[in-house]
Protein backbone atom coordinates (compact mmCIF):
# COMPACT_ATOMS: atom_id res chain seq x y z
CA UNK A 1 0.00 0.00 0.00
CA UNK A 2 2.87 2.31 0.61
CA UNK A 3 4.08 1.64 -2.94
CA UNK A 4 0.60 2.53 -4.27
CA UNK A 5 0.64 5.80 -2.33
CA UNK A 6 4.02 6.69 -3.78
CA UNK A 7 2.79 5.85 -7.28
CA UNK A 8 -0.23 8.11 -6.81
CA UNK A 9 2.08 10.97 -5.77
CA UNK A 10 4.13 10.41 -8.86
CA UNK A 11 1.07 10.42 -11.09
CA UNK A 12 -0.18 13.65 -9.52
CA UNK A 13 -3.02 12.22 -7.44
CA UNK A 14 -1.99 13.90 -4.20
CA UNK A 15 -5.28 13.14 -2.43
CA UNK A 16 -5.18 9.44 -3.30
CA UNK A 17 -1.48 9.18 -2.40
CA UNK A 18 -2.03 10.79 0.97
CA UNK A 19 -4.94 8.46 1.71
CA UNK A 20 -2.86 5.40 0.83
CA UNK A 21 0.06 6.46 2.97
CA UNK A 22 -2.24 7.23 5.93
CA UNK A 23 -3.78 3.78 5.70
CA UNK A 24 -0.28 2.25 5.59
CA UNK A 25 0.70 4.13 8.74
CA UNK A 26 -2.48 3.03 10.57
CA UNK A 27 -1.90 -0.59 9.63
CA UNK A 28 1.71 -0.39 10.86
CA UNK A 29 0.45 1.05 14.16
CA UNK A 30 -2.00 -1.82 14.58
CA UNK A 31 0.72 -4.35 13.83
CA UNK A 32 2.94 -2.74 16.46
CA UNK A 33 0.15 -2.91 19.08
CA UNK A 34 -0.46 -6.58 18.30
CA UNK A 35 3.27 -7.42 18.57
CA UNK A 36 4.13 -9.39 21.80
CA UNK A 37 5.59 -7.28 24.59
CA UNK A 38 8.93 -8.42 25.99
CA UNK A 39 9.99 -7.97 29.56
CA UNK A 40 13.26 -6.01 29.94
CA UNK A 41 14.54 -8.98 31.93
CA UNK A 42 13.98 -11.46 29.09
CA UNK A 43 15.67 -11.94 25.77
CA UNK A 44 13.65 -11.25 22.57
CA UNK A 45 12.51 -14.29 20.51
CA UNK A 46 15.01 -15.76 18.08
CA UNK A 47 12.94 -14.68 15.08
CA UNK A 48 15.56 -12.17 14.11
CA UNK A 49 19.19 -11.41 14.47
CA UNK A 50 19.76 -8.00 16.12
CA UNK A 51 22.55 -5.79 14.89
CA UNK A 52 23.62 -4.88 18.44
CA UNK A 53 23.99 -7.33 21.31
CA UNK A 54 22.55 -6.25 24.67
CA UNK A 55 23.21 -7.83 28.08
CA UNK A 56 20.19 -8.64 30.18
CA UNK A 57 20.70 -8.47 33.93
CA UNK A 58 18.35 -7.71 36.84
CA UNK A 59 18.13 -4.06 37.75
CA UNK A 60 19.61 -2.90 41.00
CA UNK A 61 20.53 0.37 42.69
CA UNK A 62 23.62 0.74 40.50
CA UNK A 63 21.76 0.25 37.18
CA UNK A 64 20.35 2.80 34.80
CA UNK A 65 18.53 2.88 31.48
CA UNK A 66 20.99 3.47 28.70
CA UNK A 67 18.48 3.53 25.84
CA UNK A 68 20.31 0.81 23.95
CA UNK A 69 18.25 -0.31 20.95
CA UNK A 70 18.42 -3.45 18.87
CA UNK A 71 16.98 -3.22 15.39
CA UNK A 72 16.12 -6.70 14.07
CA UNK A 73 16.50 -7.41 10.41
CA UNK A 74 13.83 -10.15 10.22
CA UNK A 75 10.11 -9.87 9.38
CA UNK A 76 9.04 -8.82 12.87
CA UNK A 77 9.54 -5.07 12.89
CA UNK A 78 9.93 -3.86 16.45
CA UNK A 79 12.18 -1.68 18.53
CA UNK A 80 13.49 -3.40 21.66
CA UNK A 81 14.75 -1.33 24.53
CA UNK A 82 17.06 -3.05 26.95
CA UNK A 83 18.46 -2.26 30.39
CA UNK A 84 22.17 -2.57 30.93
CA UNK A 85 23.78 -2.80 34.35
CA UNK A 86 26.24 0.02 34.67
CA UNK A 87 27.90 -0.51 38.09
CA UNK A 88 31.23 1.21 37.60
CA UNK A 89 31.62 2.65 34.16
CA UNK A 90 33.41 0.28 31.77
CA UNK A 91 36.33 2.72 31.36
CA UNK A 92 36.77 3.51 35.09
CA UNK A 93 38.67 0.34 35.95
CA UNK A 94 40.86 0.72 32.88
CA UNK A 95 41.58 4.36 33.75
CA UNK A 96 42.59 3.43 37.31
CA UNK A 97 44.85 0.68 35.99
CA UNK A 98 46.49 3.09 33.55
CA UNK A 99 47.00 5.67 36.32
CA UNK A 100 48.54 3.04 38.61
CA UNK A 101 50.79 1.81 35.83
CA UNK A 102 51.96 5.34 35.06
CA UNK A 103 52.66 5.96 38.74
CA UNK A 104 54.71 2.78 39.06
CA UNK A 105 56.66 3.57 35.87
CA UNK A 106 57.33 7.10 37.14
CA UNK A 107 58.60 5.85 40.51
CA UNK A 108 60.81 3.22 38.90
CA UNK A 109 62.18 5.75 36.43
CA UNK A 110 62.82 8.28 39.22
CA UNK A 111 64.57 5.67 41.36
CA UNK A 112 66.71 4.73 38.37
CA UNK A 113 67.72 8.35 37.84
CA UNK A 114 68.60 8.73 41.53
CA UNK A 115 70.67 5.57 41.38
CA UNK A 116 72.56 6.77 38.32
CA UNK A 117 73.15 10.18 39.93
CA UNK A 118 74.45 8.61 43.14
CA UNK A 119 76.74 6.27 41.22
CA UNK A 120 78.18 9.13 39.16
CA UNK A 121 78.56 11.27 42.30
CA UNK A 122 80.33 8.45 44.18
CA UNK A 123 82.67 7.81 41.27
CA UNK A 124 83.46 11.50 41.05
CA UNK A 125 84.22 11.67 44.78
CA UNK A 126 86.44 8.60 44.65
CA UNK A 127 88.28 9.95 41.62
CA UNK A 128 88.88 13.24 43.42
CA UNK A 129 90.14 11.35 46.47
CA UNK A 130 92.50 9.26 44.36
CA UNK A 131 93.86 12.40 42.74
CA UNK A 132 94.29 13.92 46.20
CA UNK A 133 96.24 10.85 47.36
CA UNK A 134 98.49 11.00 44.32
CA UNK A 135 99.18 14.65 45.07
CA UNK A 136 99.96 13.86 48.71
CA UNK A 137 102.40 11.17 47.66
CA UNK A 138 104.31 13.80 45.69
CA UNK A 139 104.52 16.12 48.71
CA UNK A 140 107.78 15.63 50.56
CA UNK A 141 106.05 15.72 53.96
CA UNK A 142 105.88 12.85 56.39
CA UNK A 143 107.45 10.48 53.88
CA UNK A 144 110.08 9.15 56.24
CA UNK A 145 109.83 6.35 58.77
CA UNK A 146 110.73 7.80 62.16
CA UNK A 147 112.01 5.51 64.86
CA UNK A 148 111.66 6.82 68.43
CA UNK A 149 111.04 5.66 71.99
CA UNK A 150 107.64 6.11 73.63
CA UNK A 151 107.01 7.23 77.21
CA UNK A 152 106.98 3.61 78.40
CA UNK A 153 110.44 2.86 76.95
CA UNK A 154 109.12 0.93 73.94
CA UNK A 155 110.65 1.53 70.52
CA UNK A 156 108.12 2.84 68.02
CA UNK A 157 108.27 3.67 64.32
CA UNK A 158 105.81 5.05 61.81
CA UNK A 159 104.74 1.61 60.58
CA UNK A 160 103.35 0.85 64.05
CA UNK A 161 100.60 3.40 63.44
CA UNK A 162 99.56 2.32 59.95
CA UNK A 163 95.84 1.59 59.84
CA UNK A 164 95.09 4.36 62.36
CA UNK A 165 94.20 8.02 62.04
CA UNK A 166 96.91 10.01 63.80
CA UNK A 167 97.01 13.55 65.22
CA UNK A 168 100.63 14.53 65.63
CA UNK A 169 102.08 17.47 67.57
CA UNK A 170 105.72 18.55 68.03
CA UNK A 171 106.55 20.39 71.24
CA UNK A 172 108.51 20.15 74.51
CA UNK A 173 107.61 19.54 78.12
CA UNK A 174 109.07 22.80 79.47
CA UNK A 175 106.87 24.93 77.22
CA UNK A 176 105.11 27.46 79.50
CA UNK A 177 101.78 27.94 77.74
CA UNK A 178 101.51 27.27 73.99
CA UNK A 179 102.23 23.53 74.03
CA UNK A 180 99.84 22.80 76.92
CA UNK A 181 97.11 24.78 75.15
CA UNK A 182 97.59 22.94 71.85
CA UNK A 183 97.73 19.54 73.53
CA UNK A 184 94.54 20.31 75.45
CA UNK A 185 92.87 21.27 72.18
CA UNK A 186 94.18 18.10 70.53
CA UNK A 187 92.86 16.00 73.44
CA UNK A 188 89.44 17.70 73.19
CA UNK A 189 89.27 16.93 69.47
CA UNK A 190 90.06 13.26 70.06
CA UNK A 191 87.44 13.08 72.84
CA UNK A 192 84.82 14.70 70.60
CA UNK A 193 85.48 12.24 67.77
CA UNK A 194 85.35 9.32 70.22
CA UNK A 195 81.72 10.21 70.97
CA UNK A 196 80.71 9.21 67.46
CA UNK A 197 80.80 5.38 67.28
CA UNK A 198 80.57 5.49 63.50
CA UNK A 199 84.00 7.12 63.25
CA UNK A 200 87.31 5.27 63.52
CA UNK A 201 89.52 5.89 66.52
CA UNK A 202 92.12 8.66 66.39
CA UNK A 203 95.54 8.13 67.93
CA UNK A 204 97.17 11.28 69.41
CA UNK A 205 100.98 11.54 69.38
CA UNK A 206 103.36 13.99 71.02
CA UNK A 207 106.96 14.22 69.72
CA UNK A 208 109.44 16.27 71.67
CA UNK A 209 111.74 18.76 69.97
CA UNK A 210 113.90 18.97 73.10
CA UNK A 211 115.45 15.51 73.58
CA UNK A 212 118.12 16.83 75.94
CA UNK A 213 115.64 17.52 78.74
CA UNK A 214 112.74 15.36 77.59
CA UNK A 215 113.82 11.84 78.38
CA UNK A 216 111.41 8.91 78.75
CA UNK A 217 110.57 9.73 82.36
CA UNK A 218 109.92 13.43 81.69
CA UNK A 219 107.73 12.67 78.66
CA UNK A 220 105.84 9.99 80.59
CA UNK A 221 105.02 12.39 83.39
CA UNK A 222 104.00 15.12 80.94
CA UNK A 223 101.51 13.17 78.81
CA UNK A 224 99.53 12.07 81.88
CA UNK A 225 98.03 15.55 82.05
CA UNK A 226 96.24 15.14 78.71
CA UNK A 227 94.27 12.51 76.83
CA UNK A 228 94.74 8.98 78.26
CA UNK A 229 95.63 7.62 74.80
CA UNK A 230 98.27 10.26 74.16
CA UNK A 231 101.63 8.64 73.37
CA UNK A 232 104.79 10.64 74.03
CA UNK A 233 107.84 10.02 71.82
CA UNK A 234 111.47 10.95 72.36
CA UNK A 235 114.89 9.72 71.30
CA UNK A 236 118.37 10.83 70.56
CA UNK A 237 118.99 14.27 69.14
CA UNK A 238 119.54 12.82 65.68
CA UNK A 239 116.39 10.67 65.82
CA UNK A 240 114.30 13.64 66.93
CA UNK A 241 115.77 15.88 64.22
CA UNK A 242 115.07 13.26 61.55
CA UNK A 243 111.44 12.97 62.64
CA UNK A 244 111.12 16.75 62.57
CA UNK A 245 112.62 16.98 59.09
CA UNK A 246 110.04 14.53 57.77
CA UNK A 247 107.30 17.03 58.67
CA UNK A 248 109.37 20.16 58.03
CA UNK A 249 109.27 21.14 61.68
CA UNK A 250 111.43 24.07 62.66
CA UNK A 251 112.99 23.88 66.12
CA UNK A 252 115.69 26.08 67.62
CA UNK A 253 116.73 26.37 71.27
CA UNK A 254 117.05 29.90 72.63
CA UNK A 255 119.69 31.25 75.01
CA UNK A 256 119.90 29.81 78.49
CA UNK A 257 119.10 31.90 81.54
CA UNK A 258 121.03 31.90 84.82
CA UNK A 259 119.21 28.72 85.90
CA UNK A 260 120.16 26.95 82.69
CA UNK A 261 116.58 27.03 81.43
CA UNK A 262 115.73 27.94 77.86
CA UNK A 263 112.81 28.16 75.45
CA UNK A 264 112.66 26.21 72.19
CA UNK A 265 111.23 28.09 69.27
CA UNK A 266 109.40 25.60 67.05
CA UNK A 267 106.64 25.10 64.51
CA UNK A 268 103.20 25.13 66.16
CA UNK A 269 101.02 22.83 64.08
CA UNK A 270 98.83 19.78 64.56
CA UNK A 271 99.27 17.27 61.72
CA UNK A 272 96.63 14.83 60.49
CA UNK A 273 97.93 11.53 59.11
CA UNK A 274 95.61 8.99 57.48
CA UNK A 275 95.68 5.20 58.00
CA UNK A 276 97.97 4.83 54.98
CA UNK A 277 100.60 6.95 56.71
CA UNK A 278 100.03 9.92 54.37
CA UNK A 279 99.93 13.49 55.60
CA UNK A 280 96.46 14.93 54.90
CA UNK A 281 96.08 18.26 56.68
CA UNK A 282 97.46 20.57 59.34
CA UNK A 283 95.84 22.94 61.85
CA UNK A 284 97.44 26.06 63.29
CA UNK A 285 96.63 27.92 66.49
CA UNK A 286 93.79 29.83 64.81
CA UNK A 287 91.78 26.65 64.28
CA UNK A 288 89.28 25.85 67.02
CA UNK A 289 88.42 22.45 68.42
CA UNK A 290 85.13 22.41 66.47
CA UNK A 291 86.79 23.34 63.18
CA UNK A 292 89.44 20.66 63.54
CA UNK A 293 86.87 18.01 64.47
CA UNK A 294 84.70 18.85 61.48
CA UNK A 295 87.68 18.79 59.14
CA UNK A 296 88.74 15.36 60.37
CA UNK A 297 85.18 14.02 59.97
CA UNK A 298 85.15 15.20 56.38
CA UNK A 299 88.50 13.56 55.67
CA UNK A 300 87.24 10.31 57.15
CA UNK A 301 84.07 10.34 55.05
CA UNK A 302 85.94 10.61 51.74
CA UNK A 303 88.85 8.40 52.67
CA UNK A 304 89.62 5.62 50.19
CA UNK A 305 91.87 2.90 51.50
CA UNK A 306 94.88 2.21 49.30
Amino acid sequence: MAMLGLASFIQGDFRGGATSLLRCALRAARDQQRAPLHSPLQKPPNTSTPQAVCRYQPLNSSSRLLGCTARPTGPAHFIHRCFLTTGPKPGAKSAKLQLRTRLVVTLVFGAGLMGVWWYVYSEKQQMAQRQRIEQLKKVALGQGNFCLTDHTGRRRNKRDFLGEWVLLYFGFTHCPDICPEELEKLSAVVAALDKDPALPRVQPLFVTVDPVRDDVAAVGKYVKDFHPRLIGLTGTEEEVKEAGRDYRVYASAGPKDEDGDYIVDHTILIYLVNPDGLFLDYYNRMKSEEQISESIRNHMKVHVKL
Side-chain angles (χ1 to χ4, degrees), residues 193-205:
L193 296 174
D194 283 345
K195 293 179 181 178
D196 190 345
L199 298 178
R201 196 181 75 159
V202 177
Q203 175 60 57
L205 295 180

Side-chain angles (χ1 to χ4, degrees), residues 30-59:
R30 285 197 304 270
D31 292 340
Q32 179 66 24
Q33 291 177 355
R34 292 173 183 173
L37 297 176
H38 301 284
S39 169
L41 304 181
Q42 299 176 349
K43 294 183 179 180
N46 294 327
T47 57
S48 62
T49 304
Q51 296 175 351
V53 178
C54 297
R55 294 183 299 150
Y56 295 84
Q57 297 181 4
L59 294 176

Side-chain angles (χ1 to χ4, degrees), residues 129 133 136-137 142-143 158-159 161-166 273-280 303-306:
Q129 181 67 9
I133 291 174
L136 290 174
K137 287 181 177 180
Q143 297 294 317
K158 185 178 178 181
R159 287 189 296 269
F161 302 101
L162 292 179
E164 295 182 287
W165 290 86
V166 174
V273 180
N274 73 7
D276 301 305
L278 296 176
F279 161 78
L280 282 185
H303 173 65
V304 178
K305 186 176 180 181
L306 294 180

Side-chain angles (χ1 to χ4, degrees), residues 246-266:
D246 287 344
Y247 292 90
R248 298 183 183 177
V249 174
Y250 168 78
S252 177
K256 295 181 180 180
D257 58 17
E258 56 186 18
D259 296 328
D261 200 7
Y262 57 91
I263 298 296
V264 179
D265 186 19
H266 64 90

